[in-house]
Amino acid sequence: MGRSRRTLPEELLLLALDPATGTTAQPQSLDLGLAGAQLVELALAGRIAPDGDRIAVVVPRPTGDPTLDCALELLRRRGAPVRAVHWIGGPRLGLRQTYLSHLERCGMVHAVAGQMCGVLPTTRYQATDNEISREIRARLDSAIRTGVPPDPRTAALAALAHAVGLGKHLYPGNEGRSSRSRLRDLIRHDPMGGLVAHAVMDVQNGVAAQPRRSPAPSGRPAAGARPAPEPARGVPMQPRHGSMARAVAH
């Protein structure tokens, strides 16, 4: 994969970057979205493919993008298809910062040092070329306005933007309600983007990552089965195995 086009994680991050404040909207869910965007980008590159609700590596050859290739290698080491919700729900150690630093190296953003309350050091990121962000936004606007099925890349970007809650950031207020609704509807135009977007939302909603057991006869629980705890609303699901995918930090 050359650098002739931006990757989906880069585009999703640029969409989330607020030009006025230099901060990212929906920072917690954005980390999940970036992990999901990596999966979609690898699928578009022909390296992975959906297998039901799982992700299988079909071509382990590197893409040429170091961050994506690290994710691909982690998936390859799994040795078997991994559930999308498990991968996305894994710990994300600095994935957003990894991509912000990457965009800075590429010259798409520049860091602005500051202080919070005059004491704590902070870093904001300003786009160096707002035309890039406008072009990305224009693709979404066109798909929403025209109703014409978008290309898979734009459809996946729309699905991820909806999944991480960027709708209110991109189309705020009552006047943006119909646009937010159409943004959500674009999820159906790309199967891989839809799979990943639903996995992102499942993790945020605390949906159990393990397949549900069939109920025992007469409504009794199966022998040895423990009642599943009710997930807390809005708390991301943590992976059950320590070998789950790690955050891509390089």
Side-chain angles (χ1 to χ4, degrees):
M1 177 186 299
R3 295 299 301 157
S4 58
R5 72 161 73 229
R6 296 174 299 274
T7 65
L8 274 173
E10 294 166 4
E11 292 196 328
L12 183 64
L13 186 52
L14 286 170
L15 271 182
L17 194 62
D18 190 319
T21 64
T23 60
T24 53
Q26 304 295 113
Q28 292 183 340
S29 58
L30 184 59
D31 285 345
L32 303 176
L34 291 172
Q38 287 183 320
L39 294 180
V40 179
E41 189 65 50
L42 288 170
L44 290 171
R47 301 312 196 265
I48 65 175
D51 181 6
D53 66 345
R54 297 175 183 267
I55 304 297
V57 175
V58 293
V59 177
R61 185 177 71 252
T63 66
D65 181 297
T67 310
L68 289 175
D69 288 342
C70 186
L72 179 62
E73 176 61 14
L74 288 173
L75 286 167
R76 186 193 67 79
R77 289 178 187 174
R78 292 282 297 165
V82 59
R83 295 188 73 204
V85 73
H86 278 168
W87 172 265
I88 293 169
R92 299 294 154 206
L93 301 178
L95 188 57
R96 179 163 34 100
Q97 185 58 50
T98 295
Y99 272 104
L100 282 169
S101 298
H102 171 72
L103 290 178
E104 185 180 15
R105 290 192 300 271
C106 292
M108 284 190 268
V109 302
H110 67 276
V112 179
Q115 289 184 332
M116 180 182 296
C117 300
V119 178
L120 299 176
T122 61
T123 303
R124 297 180 295 111
Y125 291 86
Q126 298 288 345
T128 56
D129 185 358
N130 289 325
E131 185 60 31
I132 296 175
S133 298
R134 284 194 291 266
E135 182 273 328
I136 298 170
R137 173 69 178 271
R139 282 164 40 210
L140 289 186
D141 290 345
S142 177
I144 288 174
R145 184 179 63 256
T146 65
V148 176
D151 62 275
R153 180 173 293 275
T154 301
L157 181 61
L160 288 163
H162 167 70
V164 302
L166 289 183
K168 291 184 179 180
H169 169 70
L170 299 171
Y171 307 104
N174 288 333
E175 65 275 13
R177 184 178 300 172
S178 60
S179 293
R180 294 196 298 271
S181 177
R182 289 193 289 270
L183 179 71
R184 179 196 61 217
D185 292 342
L186 290 176
I187 200 170
R188 70 182 187 274
H189 289 295
D190 179 63
M192 183 65 181
L195 168 66
V196 169
H198 283 297
V200 169
M201 290 185 285
D202 283 348
V203 172
Q204 293 182 82
N205 293 330
V207 174
Q210 293 295 332
R212 295 180 180 178
R213 296 177 180 269
S214 298
S218 303
R220 295 191 302 272
R226 297 179 180 180
E230 182 178 356
R233 295 183 180 271
V235 178
M237 186 72 181
Q238 294 299 317
R240 297 171 67 94
H241 302 289
S243 60
M244 288 300 168
R246 299 176 182 174
V248 180
H250 298 287

